[in-house]
Short mmCIF file of all heavy atoms in Angstrom, two decimals:
data_model
loop_
_atom_site.label_atom_id
_atom_site.label_comp_id
_atom_site.label_asym_id
_atom_site.label_seq_id
_atom_site.Cartn_x
_atom_site.Cartn_y
_atom_site.Cartn_z
N GLN N 367 10.30 -21.22 -0.64
CA GLN N 367 10.54 -21.27 -2.08
C GLN N 367 9.92 -20.06 -2.76
O GLN N 367 8.74 -19.76 -2.56
CB GLN N 367 9.94 -22.57 -2.68
CG GLN N 367 10.56 -23.84 -2.12
CD GLN N 367 12.00 -24.00 -2.54
OE1 GLN N 367 12.33 -23.87 -3.71
NE2 GLN N 367 12.87 -24.28 -1.58
N HIS N 368 10.72 -19.39 -3.61
CA HIS N 368 10.23 -18.22 -4.34
C HIS N 368 10.47 -18.43 -5.84
O HIS N 368 11.55 -18.87 -6.25
CB HIS N 368 10.95 -16.95 -3.89
CG HIS N 368 10.56 -16.49 -2.53
ND1 HIS N 368 11.07 -15.34 -1.95
CD2 HIS N 368 9.71 -17.01 -1.61
CE1 HIS N 368 10.55 -15.18 -0.75
NE2 HIS N 368 9.72 -16.20 -0.52
N THR N 369 9.45 -18.11 -6.64
CA THR N 369 9.53 -18.24 -8.10
C THR N 369 9.15 -16.91 -8.74
O THR N 369 8.22 -16.24 -8.29
CB THR N 369 8.57 -19.34 -8.60
OG1 THR N 369 9.04 -20.61 -8.14
CG2 THR N 369 8.49 -19.36 -10.12
N VAL N 370 9.87 -16.53 -9.79
CA VAL N 370 9.52 -15.35 -10.58
C VAL N 370 9.12 -15.80 -11.98
O VAL N 370 9.86 -16.55 -12.63
CB VAL N 370 10.71 -14.37 -10.68
CG1 VAL N 370 10.39 -13.23 -11.65
CG2 VAL N 370 11.06 -13.82 -9.31
N ILE N 371 7.94 -15.38 -12.43
CA ILE N 371 7.49 -15.60 -13.81
C ILE N 371 7.44 -14.22 -14.47
O ILE N 371 6.66 -13.36 -14.05
CB ILE N 371 6.12 -16.28 -13.88
CG1 ILE N 371 6.14 -17.60 -13.10
CG2 ILE N 371 5.70 -16.51 -15.32
CD1 ILE N 371 4.79 -18.31 -13.04
N MET N 372 8.28 -14.00 -15.47
CA MET N 372 8.45 -12.65 -16.01
C MET N 372 8.44 -12.65 -17.53
O MET N 372 8.93 -13.59 -18.16
CB MET N 372 9.77 -12.05 -15.51
CG MET N 372 9.88 -10.55 -15.67
SD MET N 372 11.50 -9.94 -15.14
CE MET N 372 12.40 -10.09 -16.67
N SER N 373 7.87 -11.59 -18.10
CA SER N 373 7.88 -11.42 -19.55
C SER N 373 9.09 -10.60 -19.97
O SER N 373 9.84 -10.06 -19.13
CB SER N 373 6.61 -10.70 -20.00
OG SER N 373 6.70 -9.32 -19.69
N ASP N 374 9.27 -10.46 -21.29
CA ASP N 374 10.27 -9.51 -21.80
C ASP N 374 10.02 -8.14 -21.18
O ASP N 374 8.86 -7.76 -20.93
CB ASP N 374 10.15 -9.38 -23.33
CG ASP N 374 10.65 -10.61 -24.06
OD1 ASP N 374 11.25 -11.49 -23.41
OD2 ASP N 374 10.43 -10.68 -25.28
N ILE N 375 11.08 -7.40 -20.96
CA ILE N 375 10.97 -6.06 -20.39
C ILE N 375 10.81 -5.04 -21.51
O ILE N 375 11.54 -5.08 -22.50
CB ILE N 375 12.20 -5.73 -19.52
CG1 ILE N 375 12.08 -6.49 -18.20
CG2 ILE N 375 12.33 -4.25 -19.27
CD1 ILE N 375 13.07 -6.06 -17.15
N MET N 376 9.84 -4.16 -21.32
CA MET N 376 9.58 -3.12 -22.30
C MET N 376 10.40 -1.87 -21.93
O MET N 376 9.91 -0.95 -21.30
CB MET N 376 8.08 -2.77 -22.32
CG MET N 376 7.18 -3.95 -22.61
SD MET N 376 7.27 -4.53 -24.33
CE MET N 376 8.27 -5.99 -24.15
N GLN N 377 11.69 -1.86 -22.28
CA GLN N 377 12.58 -0.77 -21.91
C GLN N 377 13.41 -0.37 -23.13
O GLN N 377 14.54 -0.82 -23.30
CB GLN N 377 13.48 -1.19 -20.75
CG GLN N 377 14.28 -0.05 -20.17
CD GLN N 377 13.97 0.17 -18.69
OE1 GLN N 377 13.05 -0.38 -18.15
NE2 GLN N 377 14.74 1.01 -18.06
N PRO N 378 12.85 0.48 -23.99
CA PRO N 378 13.60 0.88 -25.18
C PRO N 378 14.90 1.58 -24.80
O PRO N 378 15.03 2.17 -23.73
CB PRO N 378 12.64 1.86 -25.89
CG PRO N 378 11.30 1.60 -25.31
CD PRO N 378 11.53 1.13 -23.92
N GLY N 379 15.87 1.53 -25.71
CA GLY N 379 17.12 2.24 -25.50
C GLY N 379 18.19 1.43 -24.80
O GLY N 379 19.31 1.90 -24.64
N ARG N 380 17.86 0.22 -24.38
CA ARG N 380 18.85 -0.63 -23.74
C ARG N 380 19.09 -1.85 -24.62
O ARG N 380 18.16 -2.48 -25.13
CB ARG N 380 18.34 -1.13 -22.37
CG ARG N 380 18.22 -0.07 -21.31
CD ARG N 380 19.56 0.34 -20.74
NE ARG N 380 20.28 -0.75 -20.10
CZ ARG N 380 20.14 -1.10 -18.82
NH1 ARG N 380 19.29 -0.44 -18.05
NH2 ARG N 380 20.86 -2.09 -18.32
N GLY N 381 20.36 -2.24 -24.81
CA GLY N 381 20.66 -3.46 -25.52
C GLY N 381 20.22 -4.66 -24.72
O GLY N 381 20.32 -4.68 -23.48
N ASP N 382 19.71 -5.69 -25.39
CA ASP N 382 19.16 -6.84 -24.70
C ASP N 382 20.17 -7.54 -23.80
O ASP N 382 19.86 -7.95 -22.68
CB ASP N 382 18.59 -7.85 -25.71
CG ASP N 382 17.20 -7.45 -26.18
OD1 ASP N 382 16.68 -6.44 -25.67
OD2 ASP N 382 16.64 -8.15 -27.05
N ILE N 383 21.39 -7.69 -24.28
CA ILE N 383 22.38 -8.42 -23.49
C ILE N 383 22.64 -7.69 -22.17
O ILE N 383 22.60 -8.28 -21.09
CB ILE N 383 23.69 -8.59 -24.29
CG1 ILE N 383 23.45 -9.49 -25.50
CG2 ILE N 383 24.78 -9.18 -23.39
CD1 ILE N 383 24.66 -9.63 -26.41
N ASP N 384 22.87 -6.40 -22.25
CA ASP N 384 23.12 -5.60 -21.05
C ASP N 384 21.90 -5.59 -20.13
O ASP N 384 22.01 -5.73 -18.91
CB ASP N 384 23.47 -4.17 -21.48
CG ASP N 384 23.63 -3.23 -20.30
OD1 ASP N 384 24.40 -3.56 -19.38
OD2 ASP N 384 22.98 -2.17 -20.28
N LEU N 385 20.71 -5.44 -20.72
CA LEU N 385 19.47 -5.37 -19.95
C LEU N 385 19.24 -6.66 -19.17
O LEU N 385 18.98 -6.65 -17.96
CB LEU N 385 18.30 -5.09 -20.88
CG LEU N 385 16.90 -5.07 -20.25
CD1 LEU N 385 16.78 -3.96 -19.22
CD2 LEU N 385 15.84 -4.92 -21.34
N TYR N 386 19.32 -7.81 -19.84
CA TYR N 386 18.99 -9.07 -19.17
C TYR N 386 20.12 -9.57 -18.27
O TYR N 386 19.86 -10.32 -17.32
CB TYR N 386 18.54 -10.11 -20.20
CG TYR N 386 17.20 -9.72 -20.79
CD1 TYR N 386 17.09 -9.30 -22.12
CD2 TYR N 386 16.07 -9.69 -19.99
CE1 TYR N 386 15.87 -8.88 -22.63
CE2 TYR N 386 14.84 -9.29 -20.50
CZ TYR N 386 14.75 -8.88 -21.81
OH TYR N 386 13.54 -8.46 -22.31
N ASP N 387 21.33 -9.13 -18.53
CA ASP N 387 22.40 -9.37 -17.54
C ASP N 387 22.04 -8.69 -16.22
O ASP N 387 22.21 -9.26 -15.14
CB ASP N 387 23.74 -8.83 -18.05
CG ASP N 387 24.46 -9.81 -18.96
OD1 ASP N 387 24.03 -10.98 -19.05
OD2 ASP N 387 25.45 -9.40 -19.61
N GLU N 388 21.53 -7.46 -16.33
CA GLU N 388 21.16 -6.72 -15.12
C GLU N 388 19.96 -7.36 -14.42
O GLU N 388 19.94 -7.50 -13.19
CB GLU N 388 20.85 -5.26 -15.47
CG GLU N 388 20.63 -4.39 -14.25
CD GLU N 388 20.62 -2.90 -14.59
OE1 GLU N 388 20.80 -2.55 -15.78
OE2 GLU N 388 20.43 -2.10 -13.66
N VAL N 389 18.97 -7.79 -15.20
CA VAL N 389 17.80 -8.46 -14.62
C VAL N 389 18.23 -9.74 -13.90
O VAL N 389 17.80 -10.03 -12.77
CB VAL N 389 16.75 -8.77 -15.70
CG1 VAL N 389 15.64 -9.66 -15.13
CG2 VAL N 389 16.16 -7.49 -16.26
N ALA N 390 19.09 -10.53 -14.54
CA ALA N 390 19.55 -11.78 -13.94
C ALA N 390 20.29 -11.51 -12.64
O ALA N 390 20.17 -12.27 -11.66
CB ALA N 390 20.44 -12.54 -14.92
#
Side-chain angles (χ1 to χ4, degrees):
Q367 298 293 311
H368 288 182
T369 293
V370 173
I371 304 176
M372 196 183 89
S373 76
D374 288 351
I375 285 192
M376 303 289 103
Q377 189 120 350
R380 291 284 300 272
D382 279 357
I383 295 176
D384 175 52
L385 176 63
Y386 291 110
D387 276 349
E388 187 168 359
V389 171

